[in-house]
Amino acid sequence: MPNRNPLQAAGLLFLVLAWGGCDIPSPPPVVTITEAQSKFSKICRDEFKYSPLTRTVGNTVWIYFPMDEELLTLKPSPDGPKSSDQAKEKPSLRFLDVKFDMRTIHVRFDIANAKQYAQDPGYQFAYPEHWQQKQQNLLSAVVRAYGDVGEIPGDLEFKDKRKDGTHNDLVNAYVKPDKAPDFFVIVFADMKNGMEMKNITNFTDLKNAFSPTVPLAQEEFTMRFLSEVYGNAAVVDDRLGRHLDWTAVDWRDFLSRQIKQRINFKFTQSDFPPSADADFEELILKAVSASVAPYQFEDFDSVKLTDMNTGRDVIITKAQLATFKE
């Protein structure tokens, strides 16, 4: 007789006892969102002496971390200021926009080869060590506190999606666990200088980045981890995050931003930037595929590329997109 998962056995027992009029067994204990929130606050308070504000909005947990220290500092370049009068011709990303238009992912871009001259003013912006440590501590606390939300002790995961879906429907009807958040938005606010960093991360990506068994490579996690720094006078002395728009993260907005981040990185930060004769359309389609594939996102039918430099439009289907791999 094949071995059964303990939870499957519990589910069968539940049905048998319910039919026979016997007492229904108690469902296995699971971690709720409320419990995870309390655990997160306790970790921050007891271990790190932090007091961040949190708010859950739909599929998203917001964390607001006001700071009295600076978010950004100036750091001198090792060799001081320098410039060159020797131009290098390489592709320049002059315009990029990504958005969902109904069920189409529309990417508009302007890429052209241009002469570029090396310029270094002798300084660069840097994040101080105290902020780097705060961010690491908060991300770790999030994983530790929320990592078990929705997880059912003894449950199994099936490789067959259809079988796994049917199994989960049966289990959820019996246990009714809370659903883990899809996203975390973590905002660091420099209340003295009015600077702010807003990070958006998918929770599964974050857990895998910290996981020893299902690791997510650091470079790939960086591509999926959305970060934006900006100045805003409303940040000054705002300890309660009154200036924030506390809204749930939309999957389409998250994927649009990630696609842009991947393309921008390729042209401006990669150790292997595109060459002058690169196929820019293929490069962009690989970025789109790399963004949607990990989440098994299916809520689109096609991808449209618009080259604003040549006026060329290209449309491919979702099935065709799957053939493009990074």
Side-chain angles (χ1 to χ4, degrees):
M1 183 176 182
N3 292 327
R4 282 202 181 96
N5 176 332
L7 186 59
Q8 290 177 304
L12 292 174
L13 180 61
F14 165 77
L15 294 176
V16 171
L17 294 179
W19 181 264
C22 300
D23 292 336
I24 298 174
S26 299
V30 293
V31 178
T32 66
I33 287 288
T34 301
E35 291 169 340
Q37 169 62 54
S38 298
K39 183 176 180 180
F40 174 74
S41 298
K42 180 176 174 57
I43 293 173
C44 290
R45 180 180 64 253
D46 295 350
E47 297 186 24
F48 306 125
K49 312 304 178 187
Y50 300 159
S51 300
L53 303 179
T54 59
R55 183 182 298 182
T56 300
V57 185
N59 67 345
T60 305
V61 174
W62 280 73
I63 300 173
Y64 182 63
F65 195 107
M67 303 188 303
D68 295 315
E69 305 95 339
E70 291 183 335
L71 178 63
L72 287 171
T73 59
L74 287 177
K75 179 181 178 181
S77 301
D79 302 324
K82 58 184 178 181
S83 61
S84 173
D85 59 0
Q86 300 298 312
K88 292 183 179 180
E89 187 167 297
K90 57 183 181 179
S92 175
L93 182 61
R94 303 188 295 191
F95 179 83
L96 177 64
D97 181 63
V98 182
K99 67 179 181 180
F100 277 76
D101 184 7
M102 302 297 287
R103 293 184 60 85
T104 296
I105 303 175
H106 191 184
V107 183
R108 296 186 300 146
F109 63 94
D110 186 341
I111 302 171
N113 291 321
K115 289 183 177 181
Q116 299 184 30
Y117 297 85
Q119 301 286 338
D120 185 347
Y123 65 86
Q124 57 188 351
F125 286 100
Y127 299 110
E129 290 185 10
H130 71 78
W131 170 83
Q132 297 179 43
Q133 189 61 57
K134 285 182 174 67
Q135 174 164 262
Q136 182 69 15
N137 291 342
L138 276 188
L139 293 178
S140 174
V142 165
V143 173
R144 290 166 58 191
Y146 289 85
D148 293 329
V149 172
E151 298 292 333
I152 302 173
D155 196 14
L156 289 180
E157 182 175 343
F158 297 93
K159 292 183 178 180
D160 185 286
K161 292 182 180 179
R162 187 172 182 178
K163 185 176 182 180
D164 193 55
T166 301
H167 169 75
N168 288 335
D169 289 342
L170 289 172
V171 171
N172 291 337
Y174 173 53
V175 182
K176 299 186 184 303
D178 282 353
K179 185 179 183 299
D182 287 334
F183 299 100
F184 278 80
V185 179
I186 304 175
V187 180
F188 294 92
D190 175 350
M191 297 188 300
K192 179 180 178 181
N193 299 298
M195 298 296 297
E196 195 165 60
M197 170 182 280
K198 180 181 180 182
N199 298 325
I200 302 175
T201 180
N202 172 260
F203 186 41
T204 300
D205 289 342
L206 182 60
K207 285 196 297 183
N208 290 342
F210 277 81
S211 172
T213 57
V214 192
L216 178 63
Q218 181 63 40
E219 182 177 350
E220 177 59 21
F221 178 63
T222 301
M223 290 295 95
R224 303 183 192 184
F225 189 82
L226 307 181
S227 187
E228 182 182 20
V229 177
Y230 46 87
N232 185 350
V235 176
V236 176
D237 295 329
D238 185 5
R239 294 190 176 278
L240 300 179
R242 293 189 178 94
H243 68 283
L244 294 176
D245 182 16
W246 306 75
T247 56
V249 173
D250 179 76
W251 269 102
R252 293 186 170 200
D253 181 62
F254 173 73
L255 292 174
S256 296
R257 289 170 180 252
Q258 187 180 139
I259 293 167
K260 287 186 68 174
Q261 177 159 287
R262 288 180 183 273
I263 298 172
N264 274 311
F265 178 87
K266 191 68 176 177
F267 280 89
T268 62
Q269 301 178 53
S270 174
D271 292 333
F272 305 97
S275 61
D277 59 351
D279 186 334
F280 302 135
E281 292 177 356
E282 180 181 6
L283 182 152
I284 291 172
L285 289 172
K286 285 182 177 180
V288 175
S289 177
S291 298
V292 302
Y295 310 105
Q296 300 180 347
F297 183 80
E298 300 289 342
D299 195 19
F300 72 104
D301 298 320
S302 61
V303 178
K304 179 179 180 180
L305 306 185
T306 298
D307 187 335
M308 299 176 66
N309 190 30
T310 64
R312 170 182 165 87
D313 285 334
V314 175
I315 299 177
I316 69 166
T317 65
K318 178 167 56 179
Q320 291 172 316
L321 178 67
T323 65
F324 290 87
K325 303 292 183 181
E326 282 279 20

